[in-house]
Amino acid sequence: MIQSETLELLEWPRLCQHLATFAGTKLGAMAAGDLQIPDTLEQTLVLLAQTQEVYELENQGLTTLSFDGIHDIGDSLERADLHGILSAEELLAIATTLSGARQLRRTIDDHPQLSVLNRLVADLRTYPEIEQEIHRCIDDRAQVADRASTRLGEIRQRQRTVRDQIYQKLQSILQRHSNAVQEQLITKRSDRFVIPVKSPQKDAIPGIVHDSSMSGATLYVEPHSVVELNNKARVLLREEKAEEEAILRALTAKITEVVEDLERLLAIVTILDLATARARYSYWLNANPPTFINRGEEGQTITLRQLRHPLLIWQQQHEDGTAVVPIDLIVQPQIKVVAITGPNTGGKTVTLKTLGLGVLMAKVGLFIPAKVPVELPWFDFVLADIGDEQSLEQSLSTFSGHIRRISRILGSCTPDSLVLLDEVGAGTDPTEGSALAIALLHHLADCSQLTIATTHYGELKALKYEDDRFENASVEFDEASLQPTYRLLWGIPGRSNALTIARRLGLKSEIVDQAANLVAPTGNQDVDRVIAGLESQRKQQETKAQEAGQLLGETERLYREVADKAQSLKERERQLQQSQERAVAEAIAVAKQEIAQVIRRLQQGNVTGQDANQATQDLQGIAEKHLPSRQQKVAKPKPGFRPKAGDRVRIPQIGQTGEVLAVGEGDMDVTVRFGLMKMTIGITEIESLDGQKVELPPKKPAATQTTKVSPAAEAATEKVATIAPIVRTSRNNLDIRGARVADAEMELEQAIAQQIPLGGALWIVHGKGTGKLRQGVQEFLKQHPQISHYELAPQNEGGSGVTIAYLK
């Protein structure tokens, strides 16, 4: 009795109605609307595991459970078990239910990690052969099909033949007696084909009158010529009905044989639908799975942070309600009773209902709308005495009503029960009421696991300081706005705000002051001052905590930015390294091609010393251009090195290290030995092992001797000094054979622009042909500002088919 009362007081049926909207079948919705509370922790754990697996299946993007085609076939199975005959609609519903259940099992089988759901559907039998037989005999319109039996097909074929004969005769009559009929129409009355005849002309068409219109102006006549055919049609109709009944009876017999398995299938599908509804409702609430704790163990604290009332969430989302204010419920293991105080309409009753619904949700396998971690014990009973103006179902209760309900609570209370009492001891003399409340809470501290009680009695605030099983909490009240904030504060009892509210609302000061003087002898003012000081300290701590949280958030943001930049730099470094590697690979490939060209030139014809020297220079040029060791800029050598006999030195030109044997006269050359060889070289051609060069003193200029050099010789010398050997490669070779002059000029412009950083020359292959392309190319080169001069290539490089353009 008290259990059902508690569910009504907590408005549990409303929550079940909300849950039912997430069900996929009629059976699931009915089961959700009348949700049963488990009796054991093991049952609850199974329900939670089912909810968790469906939640992960659908919210990790794996798949969803579909209940399409599944119907409530319970009544049909019961009638089949009583040897009744099922209709075609009922049989078709059974077939689609079998198909839907099979699809559900396949979906679950495809995910072996769903251990609980796989065990649930392991014994599910869906009888595909029965489903196929039903679909063979019954079409999609829930009609027995012609293919159901040979006899039925023959009967319906004869029906069609007779019907055609009837139509032919009646159409002939309608045409012959068009003036006597009301309209050109063939219809049925009492399963016999008739035609509408005007009443005054009924004798024009002899026959049997089966019906008349409301006005009597039309008679529905069966002409004598079709009576026999109508009789045949009636006989065939009875034969058809009998054959259809035989087919339905045979199909029903197949269902009767497996009624128990189909009933189990229906139960499993309902369990799956309930689990899916719980998972989807939990996701909609943004709820988290609970963990059950044993409060008898050390450190096992009830933890419900940011707990929200599920019915208020629904009201906010679907009924344009106000925003839900979450509460924090942190109850230490030793606490048995929590006394919540504070002003009216401050949220005390909502706190009781929120906790009660949260515990019930966890018991039936629902997630709780609170932040992780969600930790609470498994209460075997939730017992409540809640009755005030905030309840949607309950009005104000009298003192006697409260006492009768509390008596029933005490009769059902166990050591694992949760007791919720609203305004304990209210409704009678305050002195006696507070004494009764104190005695009741002491009793509940001994016989229940946890009791939450709301009260206005100040005497209950002191219980915390007398017994460590008691705790105080209060609902916050904003004195500036004279409005409750609906926040729950722990460890601080609520204080009276009546005088403050009265003063701010304009009550005369002398009345408020007199009331304060009357309160003073009781010591309440001192208590209120202490509470006010505690509240002030709490607010200061909250402010500092918010500032610290903001600072921590800013620090975390800066850390993330630095980490992101570091990651970006690493990525950039990796990309640059890859780019350099690609560039080196490309340079190696080009160098290989150019070396191959040098080798091919050496293989053509007789090789002279000059050719070999030129090839050597070409190879050195390739090395200078592509080898990183040659391209790297060498730091300026340290000056001041003076070699002497016995020193180890390096000869950069040949890449060898040797020993100085002797220094020549005037310190201008040295004799060096490396390996078995000796050689005398200039002193400036060696360096120390750490890169120091020999620094020669500057030469004194001659006072009187001068040497005149002709301008031609000077120009030749400058040209020799500035023009380096030019080697033809794939980079400075442009093939424009077959192009028009205008297109060739565009390609030339691009090639010259690419060649400018490299310098040297550009080989332009235009072919011989008519000479127009060569003439156009040379005219373009003559006017180009980046070209110093051009000439035809030697015969071994193309002759008149190739023009070499030299860049400035």
Side-chain angles (χ1 to χ4, degrees):
M1 179 64 180
I2 188 61
Q3 285 292 302
S4 58
E5 286 185 43
T6 295
L7 297 181
E8 290 293 334
L9 292 174
L10 295 176
E11 301 176 274
W12 177 252
R14 280 190 60 199
L15 187 141
C16 293
Q17 292 174 6
H18 297 167
L19 174 63
T21 62
F22 291 88
T25 66
K26 181 181 178 182
L27 279 173
M30 292 172 58
D34 188 21
L35 210 56
Q36 300 300 311
I37 311 296
D39 296 325
T40 64
L41 175 60
E42 289 71 21
Q43 294 174 337
T44 294
L45 293 177
V46 171
L47 295 176
L48 276 174
Q50 294 172 357
T51 306
Q52 182 73 40
E53 290 189 352
V54 177
Y55 188 95
E56 293 176 354
L57 180 71
E58 295 197 343
N59 296 293
Q60 291 181 359
L62 301 177
T63 186
T64 57
L65 295 182
S66 173
F67 296 87
D68 292 341
I70 296 177
H71 301 275
D72 181 6
I73 59 174
D75 292 342
S76 301
L77 296 179
E78 184 177 353
R79 186 159 55 257
D81 196 33
L82 295 174
H83 303 289
I85 299 177
L86 300 182
S87 66
E89 291 86 352
E90 291 175 314
L91 289 167
L92 190 61
I94 291 175
T96 58
T97 299
L98 291 173
S99 176
R102 188 181 307 109
Q103 183 59 41
L104 272 174
R105 188 180 63 187
R106 287 175 181 171
T107 302
I108 295 172
D109 288 343
D110 289 341
H111 298 85
Q113 74 275 15
L114 307 177
S115 58
V116 175
L117 297 184
N118 272 289
R119 285 197 299 270
L120 180 63
V121 302
D123 299 329
L124 184 65
R125 299 191 63 184
T126 57
Y127 293 100
E129 66 279 4
I130 294 179
E131 177 194 344
Q132 293 173 3
E133 182 65 13
I134 292 175
H135 282 302
R136 187 186 71 82
C137 297
I138 300 174
D139 59 22
D140 294 339
R141 299 172 299 167
Q143 301 291 329
V144 179
D146 295 354
R147 60 180 177 270
S149 71
T150 304
R151 174 173 169 74
L152 181 63
E154 293 174 351
I155 292 172
R156 288 182 175 174
Q157 180 59 41
R158 284 185 294 174
Q159 282 181 324
R160 287 189 287 269
T161 301
V162 171
R163 191 182 301 113
D164 291 342
Q165 293 174 356
I166 293 173
Y167 266 78
Q168 289 177 3
K169 288 183 177 293
L170 292 179
Q171 287 289 353
S172 177
I173 293 173
L174 287 174
Q175 292 176 1
R176 290 197 312 268
H177 302 282
S178 59
N179 294 329
V181 298
Q182 193 71 24
E183 55 181 323
Q184 296 288 324
L185 175 68
I186 298 174
T187 183
K188 267 188 172 185
R189 289 295 185 273
S190 302
D191 292 330
R192 304 183 73 86
F193 290 96
V194 296
I195 56 177
V197 179
K198 298 176 183 178
S199 294
Q201 301 184 21
K202 63 178 180 177
D203 296 333
I205 303 177
I208 302 172
V209 178
H210 287 276
D211 197 3
S212 64
S213 64
M214 295 292 293
S215 64
T218 302
L219 300 176
Y220 294 95
V221 177
E222 177 187 7
H224 291 306
S225 58
V226 297
V227 170
E228 186 61 29
L229 291 174
N230 269 329
N231 290 339
K232 289 183 179 180
R234 289 289 298 272
V235 171
L236 290 173
L237 180 62
R238 286 195 294 271
E239 292 180 359
E240 179 191 24
K241 295 297 183 185
E243 184 63 21
E244 287 181 351
E245 183 177 335
I247 293 169
L248 295 177
R249 189 186 303 277
L251 292 175
T252 303
K254 293 180 180 294
I255 300 300
T256 304
E257 294 174 359
V258 296
V259 162
E260 291 184 1
D261 289 340
L262 297 186
E263 288 176 344
R264 175 167 174 75
L265 176 145
L266 211 57
I268 292 173
V269 169
T270 303
I271 292 173
L272 286 174
D273 193 14
L274 267 178
T276 304
R278 294 196 302 269
R280 293 172 180 173
Y281 184 40
S282 299
Y283 178 78
W284 182 84
L285 286 173
N286 194 23
N288 290 295
T291 300
F292 292 105
I293 61 173
N294 183 3
R295 295 192 72 204
E297 299 178 2
E298 185 177 355
Q300 298 297 301
T301 300
I302 297 177
T303 305
L304 296 170
R305 290 188 176 90
Q306 300 294 298
L307 177 64
R308 294 167 295 143
H309 195 299
L311 300 184
L312 294 182
I313 297 174
W314 184 277
Q315 184 175 336
Q316 177 188 359
Q317 296 291 332
H318 295 284
E319 302 172 12
D320 297 328
T322 58
V324 181
V325 179
I327 60 175
D328 292 334
L329 285 169
I330 313 295
V331 184
Q332 300 301 323
Q334 75 278 5
I335 300 301
K336 292 292 186 177
V337 178
V338 178
I340 303 177
T341 53
N344 290 327
T345 70
K348 300 189 300 296
T349 304
V350 173
T351 298
L352 296 182
K353 291 185 176 182
T354 304
L355 176 59
L357 286 177
V359 170
L360 291 174
M361 291 171 70
K363 291 189 68 173
V364 300
L366 280 164
F367 294 175
I368 297 179
K371 280 190 174 182
V372 176
V374 180
E375 299 174 336
L376 73 166
W378 194 85
F379 297 100
D380 55 359
F381 293 116
V382 179
L383 309 171
D385 174 31
I386 300 174
D388 65 356
E389 67 278 9
Q390 297 185 49
S391 174
L392 301 180
E393 302 283 342
Q394 190 82 3
S395 60
L396 289 174
S397 301
T398 62
F399 177 73
S400 59
H402 278 291
I403 295 302
R404 283 195 296 268
R405 187 176 295 147
I406 290 174
S407 297
R408 291 193 293 272
I409 289 175
L410 296 178
S412 301
C413 185
T414 67
D416 289 325
S417 295
L418 170 66
V419 180
L420 305 172
L421 301 177
D422 190 26
E423 299 297 343
V424 59
T428 185
D429 177 74
T431 302
E432 295 181 352
S434 63
L436 181 61
I438 292 172
L440 176 61
L441 293 182
H442 274 291
H443 177 77
L444 289 173
D446 296 329
C447 68
S448 70
Q449 181 170 172
L450 180 64
T451 299
I452 309 290
T454 67
T455 181
H456 281 288
Y457 293 136
E459 291 79 1
L460 271 63
K461 304 174 185 177
L463 294 178
K464 170 184 177 179
Y465 308 103
E466 301 171 357
D467 191 334
D468 59 2
R469 297 178 301 169
F470 284 74
E471 179 60 279
N472 283 331
S474 62
V475 288
E476 188 179 40
F477 185 83
D478 188 351
E479 294 184 0
S481 62
L482 300 181
Q483 294 292 330
T485 65
Y486 304 107
R487 294 178 58 200
L488 188 63
L489 307 178
W490 287 85
I492 300 177
R495 61 192 180 95
S496 174
N497 294 285
L499 299 182
T500 302
I501 295 173
R503 189 184 301 276
R504 296 200 177 210
L505 291 179
L507 190 63
K508 290 184 177 181
S509 299
E510 55 269 22
I511 297 177
V512 177
D513 293 339
Q514 185 177 0
N517 293 330
L518 293 174
V519 172
T522 65
N524 286 344
Q525 285 187 339
D526 295 335
V527 175
D528 286 347
R529 280 196 294 270
V530 172
I531 295 175
L534 292 174
E535 290 181 352
S536 176
Q537 292 179 7
R538 177 190 56 78
K539 290 180 179 179
Q540 291 177 3
Q541 292 176 354
E542 286 184 351
T543 302
K544 291 181 179 179
Q546 290 177 356
E547 293 175 352
Q550 293 175 356
L551 182 60
L552 179 60
E554 183 67 16
T555 304
E556 291 176 349
R557 183 185 65 80
L558 292 174
Y559 173 78
R560 288 193 298 268
E561 290 181 359
V562 171
D564 292 342
K565 288 182 179 179
Q567 184 63 29
S568 176
L569 289 175
K570 288 183 179 179
E571 180 65 20
R572 177 62 178 165
E573 181 180 358
R574 186 185 63 82
Q575 293 176 355
L576 288 174
Q577 184 176 1
Q578 291 178 351
S579 177
Q580 291 174 355
E581 290 176 355
R582 287 194 297 267
V584 169
E586 293 175 359
I588 291 174
V590 173
K592 286 181 179 179
Q593 294 176 0
E594 295 176 357
I595 291 172
Q597 292 177 1
V598 172
I599 293 173
R600 282 196 297 272
R601 288 205 305 272
L602 291 175
Q603 292 174 345
Q604 296 173 359
N606 296 325
V607 181
T608 64
Q610 184 178 1
D611 294 334
N613 185 35
Q614 180 63 38
T616 301
Q617 293 180 3
D618 291 346
L619 290 175
Q620 289 180 353
I622 293 171
E624 293 291 341
K625 184 163 56 175
H626 295 291
L627 290 179
S629 61
R630 301 288 184 90
Q631 294 176 351
Q632 185 177 3
K633 292 183 180 179
V634 181
K636 187 176 179 180
K638 301 177 181 179
F641 172 62
R642 303 297 297 178
K644 58 183 182 295
D647 288 347
R648 298 287 295 177
V649 294
R650 183 183 293 110
I651 309 173
Q653 290 183 348
I654 60 176
Q656 294 290 333
T657 301
E659 180 184 356
V660 178
L661 297 178
V663 180
E665 295 182 1
D667 294 340
M668 296 304 294
D669 55 34
V670 292
T671 301
V672 181
R673 178 176 63 192
F674 51 93
L676 298 176
M677 298 183 61
K678 294 181 183 180
M679 65 183 302
T680 301
I681 57 177
I683 197 171
T684 58
E685 298 180 17
I686 66 173
E687 65 182 16
S688 65
L689 296 181
D690 59 357
Q692 296 186 44
K693 290 285 189 179
V694 178
E695 186 176 304
L696 297 178
K699 294 182 179 181
K700 296 181 180 180
T704 57
Q705 293 182 355
T706 59
T707 302
K708 293 184 179 180
V709 182
S710 65
E714 185 177 356
T717 303
E718 182 179 358
K719 182 174 182 181
V720 171
T722 56
I723 298 178
I726 299 175
V727 180
R728 184 178 182 181
T729 68
S730 60
R731 288 190 174 184
N732 58 9
N733 190 78
L734 176 64
D735 191 349
I736 58 173
R737 285 177 290 185
R740 294 182 300 176
V741 175
D743 296 335
E745 290 178 353
M746 294 178 62
E747 293 186 32
L748 274 171
E749 184 66 42
Q750 294 178 359
I752 292 171
Q754 295 175 357
Q755 195 65 27
I756 287 174
L758 302 176
L762 178 65
W763 274 259
I764 306 167
V765 183
H766 45 64
K768 298 178 181 180
T770 61
K772 289 185 177 179
L773 182 58
R774 178 179 67 246
Q775 183 180 356
V777 167
Q778 293 179 354
E779 286 294 328
F780 177 83
L781 295 174
K782 186 184 299 182
Q783 300 176 2
H784 200 284
Q786 297 295 334
I787 303 300
S788 63
H789 64 286
Y790 61 88
E791 62 183 10
L792 292 176
Q795 289 300 324
N796 62 348
E797 292 189 9
S800 61
V802 178
T803 298
I804 304 176
Y806 295 89
L807 279 73
K808 293 182 178 179

